[in-house]
Amino acid sequence: MAILPIRVYPDPALKEKTRVVDSIDDDLRKLIKNMIDTMRAAPGIGLAANQIGVLKRVVVVDVDDDEDAMVLINPEITWYSEEREENEEGCLSVYPDKISVNVSRSLRIIVKAVNEHGEDVEFEAEGLFARAVQHEIDHINGKVIIDRTSAEERRIALRELTEQMGMG
Ligand code: NI
């Protein structure tokens, strides 16, 4: 078990576009295990590989305590519902438990990915699960919650971050 340090905004790893995974080997299985351990320890409901500094298109999501974490390799959202919902979101990389901002997301999505066994998967997600998957896929596309909120909320969040990090 390895709990790895989570990169904190504005770490450059959080702004990078990540690379497609082309083989599921022992290194990738180890990465996935470490991501799940790190997410659980935080605790959080999702984690993207670049949050621990690995620029690969891998995310883990676990919105339900009763089930195993879901592993999504090379995930893509192939459909977004027009119906959207705005809700507060925090992030393990953006001063967790202190900063949350309103983010509008599609209520339902269809996701295609490869699982940890190398199998293609496709599923519909809704509610908190859909929100978490959209949040994590944003991460591997180099975006964080403050890129997704209003200009006003971004300004307030950045000011708070600056103060908390002693840069103000
Ligand atoms: Ni996050």
Side-chain angles (χ1 to χ4, degrees):
M1 169 149 161
I3 295 163
L4 302 174
I6 295 174
R7 302 294 180 94
V8 175
Y9 185 90
D11 188 296
L14 299 170
K15 295 186 175 180
E16 302 266 357
K17 260 209 135 191
T18 50
R19 289 187 298 275
V20 169
V21 171
D22 49 23
S23 72
I24 297 174
D25 53 16
D26 284 348
D27 280 351
L28 194 82
R29 278 185 281 271
K30 189 173 166 194
L31 169 68
I32 289 166
K33 172 109 181 40
N34 290 344
M35 286 173 64
I36 292 171
D37 291 345
T38 303
M39 170 180 69
R40 293 234 159 99
I45 61 170
L47 193 77
N50 51 326
Q51 288 184 275
I52 54 169
V54 178
L55 302 182
K56 289 183 177 173
R57 300 186 74 75
V58 181
V59 310
V60 294
V61 175
D62 190 5
V63 294
D64 182 349
D65 289 343
D66 299 339
E67 287 177 38
D68 287 344
M70 179 174 254
V71 177
L72 302 174
I73 299 163
N74 304 332
E76 279 179 57
I77 298 172
T78 57
W79 176 81
Y80 294 86
S81 67
E82 280 176 29
E83 194 180 352
R84 298 173 72 87
E85 188 177 64
E86 190 168 275
N87 218 327
E88 288 208 355
E89 257 178 58
C91 177
L92 297 174
S93 292
V94 186
Y95 201 40
D97 301 329
K98 298 288 189 298
I99 287 181
S100 60
V101 296
N102 280 297
V103 181
S104 170
R105 303 275 190 196
S106 286
L107 199 56
R108 285 175 295 132
I109 53 173
I110 293 177
V111 184
K112 277 174 82 167
V114 173
N115 69 14
E116 66 271 45
H117 310 295
E119 299 155 349
D120 291 330
V121 292
E122 186 170 11
F123 59 91
E124 184 169 334
E126 69 172 285
L128 179 62
F129 182 32
R131 178 170 293 274
V133 170
Q134 289 173 84
H135 177 118
E136 299 313 327
I137 292 178
D138 269 358
H139 270 304
I140 57 174
N141 290 327
K143 294 218 178 311
V144 294
I145 49 174
I146 44 186
D147 302 313
R148 284 283 186 213
T149 193
S150 65
E152 173 68 5
E153 285 202 58
R154 182 183 309 118
R155 196 176 56 75
I156 293 166
L158 286 173
R159 191 173 58 208
E160 188 158 346
L161 269 173
T162 305
E163 281 168 10
Q164 293 302 331
M165 293 190 301
M167 303 187 314

